[in-house]
C-alpha cells in the first residue's frame, strides 16, 4: 500500500494505476476505522480494480467547541487495517496540504446544508462539501463510497456531485451495526459502558418506527410521537432531533408512502450520535 501525504504523491500514484487501466474506487474517512468503514472498502474492492482510501480529520466541518481536537486519531491501527483489506493507496494529508495558507474558497450546496445535522452544526456541511470536492479533484475516482449512516451527508454530496458535474458515481453502503443494534461510529469510543447501554435507545426507537410502518402506519405524526416516546425511556440522553424527511431534500414529509428517512441525533454523555433508517417507497 502506498502512503501519500501530499497531493502530488497521491496524484502520481493514481496516475500510475490509471496507466495500468485500473478503475478507481475511493473511500474517504476521518480515520479511527471500524467495520463500517471497512465495509465501504470491501464494496470498493468488489466494484473497482483499485482502491484509494483517505484519512483526514477535516477541521472545517467542526464548529467551534466541537470535538475536533479530541477526535480519535489512530493512524497506525488504521494503516494496518487498510493494508490488510488490500487498499492500493492511502492518502493522509496534513491540514496545511488540504487548505493552503490563505485558502478562502468553499463549496456551498444551498438550503439542504442547513437541515438535520446542518441545522444543529452550522457550517458542518459546507466543510464536508468543500473537503469532499477537493478530494474528488485530487483523486478523480470513478466510484466514491459513503455510508448510509450519515444520511444527510449523502443527500448533500449527491446534490453537489450533480450540480458540479463530477464525473463519478456515488455509491452508498448500508449502516453497519454492533450485534445489539448500535450503529458503528468512531465517536462510540467516547462512550463509557453505561453511556453505551443508553445509546441503544436510538436504534431501538428507529426499529419501533420501522415496525409500525411495516404494520401499515404511514402518517409521519404518529410515527414521530412513537419514536419520541421510545427516546423518552432514556432520560439521560439529550435529544437533538428526531425527524421524518425526504431522503433527497431532507425536508419534513407528512407521510412515508413515497419513501422517507427516519433520522435521529442525540447527545449521549460526551458523544453526539446519529442514526437513521430508510423507509422504502410503497
Ligand atoms: P467518517 O470517518 O465518520 O467520516 O466516515 C467515513 C465514511 O464511513 C462515511 O461515508 C460514513 O458514512 C461511513 N460510515 C461511518 N460509520 C458507518 C457505519 N456504521 N456503517 C456504514 N458506513 C459508515
Amino acid at each position: 500500500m502506498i502512503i501519500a501525504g501530499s497531493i502530488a504523491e497521491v496524484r502520481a500514484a493514481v496516475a500510475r494505476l490509471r496507466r495500468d487501466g485500473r478503475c478507481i474506487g475511493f473511500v474517504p474517512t476521518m480515520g479511527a476505522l471500524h467495520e463500517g468503514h471497512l465495509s465501504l472498502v470491501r464494496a470498493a474492492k468488489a466494484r473497482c480494480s483499485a482502491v484509494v482510501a483517505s484519512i483526514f480529520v477535516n477541521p472545517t466541518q467542526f464548529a467551534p467547541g466541537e470535538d475536533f481536537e479530541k477526535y480519535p486519531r489512530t493512524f497506525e491501527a488504521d494503516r494496518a487495517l487498510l493494508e490488510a483489506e488490500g487498499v492500493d493507496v492511502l492518502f493522509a494529508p496534513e491540514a496545511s496540504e488540504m487548505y493552503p495558507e490563505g485558502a478562502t474558497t468553499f463549496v456551498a450546496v444551498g438550503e439542504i446544508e442547513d437541515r438535520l445535522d446542518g441545522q444543529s452544526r452550522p457550517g458542518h456541511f459546507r466543510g464536508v462539501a468543500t473537503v469532499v470536492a477537493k478530494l474528488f479533484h485530487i483523486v478523480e475516482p470513478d466510484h466514491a463510497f459513503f455510508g448510509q449512516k450519515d444520511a444527510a451527508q449523502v443527500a448533500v454530496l449527491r446534490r453537489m456531485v450533480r450540480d458540479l458535474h463530477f464525473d463519478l458515481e456515488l455509491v452508498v453502503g448500508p449502516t453497519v451495526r454492533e450485534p445489539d443494534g448500535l450503529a458503528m461510529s468512531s465517536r462510540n469510543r467516547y462512550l463509557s459502558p453505561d453511556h453505551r447501554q443508553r445509546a441503544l435507545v436510538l436504534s431501538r426507537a428507529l426499529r419501533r418506527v420501522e415496525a409500525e410502518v411495516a404494520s401499515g402506519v404511514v402518517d409521519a405524526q404518529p410515527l414521530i410521537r412513537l419514536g419520541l416516546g421510545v427516546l423518552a425511556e432514556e432520560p439521560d440522553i439529550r435529544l437533538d432531533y428526531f425527524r421524518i424527511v425526504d431522503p433527497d431534500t431532507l425536508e419534513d414529509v407528512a407521510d412515508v408512502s413515497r419513501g422517507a428517512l427516519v433520522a435521529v441525533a442525540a447527545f449521549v454523555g460526551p458523544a453526539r450520535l446519529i442514526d437513521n433508517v430508510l423507509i422504502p417507497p410503497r
Side-chain angles (χ1 to χ4, degrees):
M1 182 170 77
I2 292 171
I3 300 178
S6 72
I7 293 169
E9 283 170 307
V10 73
R11 281 196 165 135
V14 171
R16 281 194 297 275
L17 294 168
R18 285 248 177 254
R19 271 200 298 278
D20 294 343
R22 313 266 288 271
C23 151
I24 311 286
F26 178 43
V27 184
T29 82
M30 298 206 300
L33 301 181
H34 50 67
E35 280 294 317
H37 299 111
L38 299 183
S39 72
L40 297 177
V41 171
R42 288 171 201 142
K45 286 230 41 124
R47 186 79 164 255
C48 311
S49 50
V51 177
V52 179
S54 65
I55 296 178
F56 180 60
V57 184
N58 172 36
T60 65
Q61 71 188 69
F62 291 79
E66 288 187 348
D67 56 346
F68 174 67
E69 280 83 14
K70 68 167 204 230
Y71 196 83
R73 289 162 172 89
T74 58
F75 185 78
E76 267 316 306
D78 293 349
R79 189 195 56 72
L81 286 169
L82 294 173
E83 183 131 44
E85 294 293 336
V87 166
D88 296 276
V89 180
L90 167 58
F91 180 42
E94 297 290 334
S96 55
E97 183 76 2
M98 294 300 284
Y99 295 96
E101 185 79 39
T104 53
T105 306
F106 282 85
V107 176
V109 186
E111 285 182 351
I112 194 171
E113 269 180 54
D114 300 320
R115 300 190 179 131
L116 295 189
D117 308 286
Q119 189 168 10
S120 356
R121 305 182 67 188
H124 171 65
F125 285 129
R126 178 174 116 129
V128 169
T130 300
V131 80
V132 172
K134 284 171 183 268
L135 289 167
F136 283 176
H137 282 306
I138 294 164
V139 175
E140 297 187 296
D142 300 292
H143 307 275
F145 296 79
F146 293 87
Q148 177 60 30
K149 155 85 178 357
D150 296 272
Q153 170 169 281
V154 166
V156 167
L157 294 179
R158 269 197 207 294
R159 184 73 63 94
M160 179 188 82
V161 164
R162 191 198 67 177
D163 290 358
L164 296 184
H165 313 285
F166 279 100
D167 188 15
L168 56 85
E169 185 203 9
L170 207 144
V171 184
V172 181
T175 301
V176 177
R177 299 177 179 282
E178 302 285 356
D180 59 10
L182 182 69
M184 289 193 186
S185 164
S186 304
R187 290 188 168 95
N188 291 350
R189 292 169 191 245
Y190 300 154
L191 300 172
S192 67
D194 180 56
H195 288 135
R196 200 197 162 292
Q197 197 55 32
R198 296 179 194 282
L200 292 176
V201 76
L202 272 68
S203 53
R204 200 158 70 234
L206 294 170
R207 276 202 308 271
R208 285 280 291 281
V209 169
E210 211 172 20
E212 196 74 350
V213 172
S215 77
V217 178
V218 293
D219 287 340
Q221 280 313 317
L223 294 172
I224 289 173
R225 277 198 299 277
L226 173 70
L228 291 175
V230 176
L231 289 161
E233 292 167 8
E234 201 53 84
D236 284 346
I237 70 162
R238 184 157 63 82
L239 185 65
D240 180 353
Y241 64 72
F242 182 85
R243 302 183 93 109
I244 303 185
V245 300
D246 179 291
D248 296 318
T249 66
L250 307 181
E251 286 179 293
D252 290 340
V253 292
D255 71 74
V256 302
S257 49
R258 273 167 299 167
L261 175 73
V262 186
V264 62
F267 293 89
V268 183
R272 180 179 179 281
L273 303 180
I274 61 174
D275 199 355
N276 68 83
V277 290
L278 210 45
I279 308 284
R282 330 209 111 207

